[in-house]
Amino acid sequence: MKKVFKTASEALDGLLKDGMLIAAGGFGLCGIPELLIDALVASGVRNLTVASNNAGVDDFGLGKLLATRQIKKMMSSYVGENAEFMRQYLSGELELEFNPQGTLAERMRAGGAGIPGFYTQTGVGTQIAEGKEVKQFNGKDYILEEGIFADLSIVKAWKADDTGNLVFRKTARNFNPPAAMCGKVCVAEVEEIVPRGSIDPDHIHLPGIYVHRLIQGNHEKRIEQRTVRKREEA
Amino acid sequence: MPWDRNQMAARAAEELEDGMYVNLGIGIPTLVANYVGDKDITLQSENGMLGMGPFPFEGEEDPDLINAGKQTITELARTSYFDSATSFGMIRGGKIAAAVLGAMEVSEQGDLANWMIPGKLVKGMGGAMDLVAGVGRVIVVMDHTNKHGESKVLKECTLPLTGKGVVDRIITNLGVLDVTPGGLRLVECAKGVARDDILSATEAKII
């Protein structure tokens, strides 16, 4: 079966439905599936629930899908960089489910691994625990969190082979592997697709079994907080 | 004289021991890295990195290499990368020896509030709830009072909690306090700050 598609829009063809749950990789603007997000904007699909650690910035990443009001609900841990997000949330136009960052990552990983729920100490005694089952293990309280089973995963990797084996680069890996794992279908965008056999099998970060469709494209890779030091400080 | 930001960071760095894996929060905690001296400390960045290096030289920024504050950083010879689920596995699993975090409020029971002000500031907890629940030791670094001069060390937190009973030590511009079963214990005063100065600036009970 051929996994490689020409464009992001072609790769998403037939997969989109209003009201669907999408898991997206990325942390801040690092390692986000920017081409697939643009294709979602162009598709006009609506009422989306998006599980993603952050919500982009106003004019880049998931911020674009917020600007067009295609997102109904976000499941995130930190949304502080996006003024339009804040406006929609405070005016009640957008639903927001805060998840502690590690809980969100584990909910995705668990969903992908067929685990519908797990207990964690994270959030015990806080708002996050409200309405959740509490269970004691070895005298300590833990809360029940549920696995995320997404309709679609969109992720960004550095390199892929044509069978969908993925290699990530530096901290751009972040949420991409767990997000990829938890979707019924996963579409990945990469900077380079190489022939099978040209990546050392021991160096593959995410096996192609999790990746159903694949595109290669040019990425802007915008930097959110450019911080540098002066040469003389070295 | 109360400690300034850098002196607070230097004091927090004294808490770190050779060989520790440590997570530093955003703000003053980030400065702690400048004061670890010869100690062999490995910094974790919860977006998926152990062995965080300094900021890059101008022109060498890499959009694929950022810290949890989304700032461009560099790697070291010891650096490893991993995904977010693995990263929080090591946090939740107690592999990270200590976290140094900022705070809006801390209570005398060690409750911590640092993620939201209802109706005003709704940014999210990021990884803070996982860190305080999982790491070996939680050290809070913050100003002792807010901009209105009110104590940030309270009998009970008024803001939504990040964690309940999770703080071990509080380092403020006035001194160092430990959370103990009987209440807060004054460990150290900043140079020129008297015990009475700290007592009068603190709403919580100091035993």
Side-chain angles (χ1 to χ4, degrees), chain A residues 30 54 77-79 86 98 101-103 120 122 126 169-172 174-175 221 225-229 231, chain B residues 55-56 60-66 70-72 75 83-84 88 92 122-127 130 161:
Chain A
C30 180
N54 311 93
S77 88
Y78 190 84
V79 295
M86 207 57 65
F98 269 132
Q101 195 174 140
T103 296
T120 176
T122 302
T126 75
R169 188 171 174 274
K170 302 186 189 285
T171 56
N174 56 58
F175 272 83
K221 298 213 283 184
Q225 306 277 350
R226 188 178 299 273
T227 46
V228 294
R229 70 189 143 128
R231 297 258 168 204
Chain B
F55 295 139
E60 292 177 5
E61 310 91 302
D62 183 340
D64 289 339
L65 183 44
I66 64 168
K70 282 106 182 174
Q71 297 170 309
T72 45
E75 63 186 23
D83 67 70
S84 300
F88 283 91
R92 222 185 283 104
V122 193
K123 291 188 167 191
M125 70 291 286
D130 308 277
L161 296 184

Side-chain angles (χ1 to χ4, degrees), chain B residues 169-203:
Chain B
R169 178 163 276 197
I170 309 165
I171 298 172
T172 77
N173 52 329
L174 300 184
V176 181
L177 295 158
D178 270 352
V179 179
T180 72
L184 296 175
R185 192 172 63 83
L186 184 59
V187 176
E188 187 181 328
C189 299
K191 206 169 181 175
V193 174
R195 182 184 165 88
D196 281 349
D197 298 331
I198 294 182
L199 289 178
S200 65
T202 308
E203 194 230 44

Side-chain angles (χ1 to χ4, degrees), chain A:
Chain A
M1 203 182 91
K2 196 175 158 296
K3 292 188 178 179
V4 180
F5 288 69
K6 277 202 178 70
T7 67
S9 292
E10 283 174 40
L12 291 173
D13 189 43
L15 301 179
L16 303 180
K17 216 177 117 189
D18 289 349
M20 73 192 307
L21 170 58
I22 298 178
F27 179 91
L29 301 180
C30 180
I32 59 170
E34 50 183 272
L35 305 173
L36 290 161
I37 291 169
D38 286 349
L40 285 174
V41 172
S43 78
V45 64
R46 303 193 68 81
N47 286 323
L48 299 173
T49 296
V50 180
S52 167
N53 188 56
N54 311 93
V57 294
D58 282 340
D59 63 341
F60 194 62
L62 289 172
K64 289 184 178 178
L65 273 174
L66 287 163
T68 53
R69 316 288 289 276
Q70 287 167 271
I71 298 178
K72 178 187 67 174
K73 178 181 174 182
M74 287 293 305
M75 301 161 74
S76 303
S77 88
Y78 190 84
V79 295
E81 328 292 351
N82 192 316
E84 172 63 13
F85 185 106
M86 207 57 65
R87 193 200 63 72
Q88 288 185 22
Y89 172 65
L90 292 173
S91 68
E93 297 161 45
L94 178 72
E95 289 174 57
L96 170 61
E97 178 191 298
F98 269 132
N99 284 253
Q101 195 174 140
T103 296
L104 183 63
E106 189 63 15
R107 288 184 66 191
M108 290 181 181
R109 197 201 67 83
I115 296 171
F118 58 91
Y119 291 95
T120 176
Q121 246 191 305
T122 302
V124 169
T126 75
Q127 279 185 6
I128 293 304
E130 284 169 19
K132 290 175 184 161
E133 184 197 324
V134 179
K135 189 169 167 134
Q136 280 207 344
F137 295 88
N138 299 318
K140 284 183 181 163
D141 285 346
Y142 293 77
I143 56 174
L144 177 64
E145 293 282 1
E146 294 183 6
I148 291 173
F149 299 85
D151 300 305
L152 171 69
S153 300
I154 53 171
V155 301
K156 151 81 172 49
W158 177 47
K159 211 187 250 194
D161 68 20
D162 64 295
T163 74
N165 290 319
L166 299 186
V167 179
F168 300 91
R169 188 171 174 274
K170 302 186 189 285
T171 56
R173 192 181 320 185
N174 56 58
F175 272 83
N176 283 297
M181 290 168 69
C182 76
K184 280 195 202 93
V185 182
C186 172
V187 183
E189 60 181 65
V190 301
E191 295 175 42
E192 187 185 7
I193 299 175
V194 297
R196 63 187 74 184
S198 45
I199 303 172
D200 183 336
D202 271 332
H203 293 172
I204 289 163
H205 296 140
L206 189 76
I209 191 169
Y210 294 110
V211 179
H212 305 93
R213 298 184 181 188
L214 200 57
I215 56 153
Q216 177 180 314
N218 294 319
H219 292 82
E220 176 184 338
K221 298 213 283 184
R222 192 184 292 187
I223 291 176
E224 204 164 338
Q225 306 277 350
R226 188 178 299 273
T227 46
V228 294
R229 70 189 143 128
K230 294 211 162 46
R231 297 258 168 204
E232 49 269 33
E233 285 173 26

